[in-house]
Each structure stands twice: as structure tokens, then as C-alpha cells.
Amino acid sequence: MRSLLAPLILALALAALCCCEKGKGMSPLGIKREVANAFVRRQKRSDLYEWYFEYYKSPMEQMHERCENYPPCDFLSDQIGFSMAYNRFFGRY
């Protein structure tokens, strides 16, 4: 057991050093910020309809998010369905 402990500690120490090392202009995952921003950047909405629904959610979407943010409701919705789980924890919609 002791013979495995020393290499394990050494490997964990090297992994910690590699993970904690930060390069200039690099993200924690080792991707340059410009590349990461280009990948994540969303396309601008051109239509007024798309813009409206991006900022204003429907009541059903708001109820889904409310249930997802409450862990017991989220767990129960996987078991018996969203509408029954929502009714149990938050009443009728």
C-alpha cells in the first residue's frame, strides 16, 4: 500500500501544478480567449419577432424554469411529468 502512495501523491502534485499554471491570454481550459469568444459569440437577431422572444419568455417557459430551479420539483418531473410535479409543489398554473 505504501509503495502506491508515493507515486499517487507525486502524480496529484504534478496534476495540480499543471492545472494551476496560467498562461497570458489563455483561459483555464487552455484555449485562447479570442478563439473561445468567437466560438461562444451568438449571431445577432435580425427580426423583431426573434428579438422579442429572446428577452420575454412565455408563461410556460417561466414555469418550467421555476420547476427546474427547485430540485424536488425537477426530480419529480422526471418521474411523473412536468404538469403533475408543478401542480404538487406550486399549485395550479
Side-chain angles (χ1 to χ4, degrees), residues 49-86:
Y49 180 79
E50 292 176 356
W51 177 85
Y52 178 81
F53 281 105
E54 181 177 337
Y55 289 102
Y56 300 103
K57 297 177 182 167
S58 68
M60 186 60 83
E61 179 74 22
Q62 290 174 356
M63 289 189 297
H64 272 280
E65 288 184 359
R66 185 176 181 193
C67 187
E68 287 173 356
N69 289 334
Y70 187 57
C73 183
D74 188 33
F75 178 75
L76 192 62
S77 69
D78 291 338
Q79 307 297 319
I80 63 173
F82 165 73
S83 60
M84 292 175 66
Y86 189 87

Side-chain angles (χ1 to χ4, degrees), residues 9-10 12 19 24 33 36 54-55 67 69 79 87-88:
I9 291 174
L10 181 63
L12 289 175
C19 290
K24 187 174 183 180
R33 288 186 181 139
E54 181 177 337
Y55 289 102
C67 187
N69 289 334
Q79 307 297 319
N87 286 340
R88 179 166 181 184

Side-chain angles (χ1 to χ4, degrees), residues 34-47:
E34 295 82 18
V35 175
N37 286 341
F39 180 73
V40 174
R41 189 174 298 137
R42 292 180 53 183
Q43 184 179 9
K44 301 237 185 251
R45 304 287 184 210
S46 59
D47 190 12

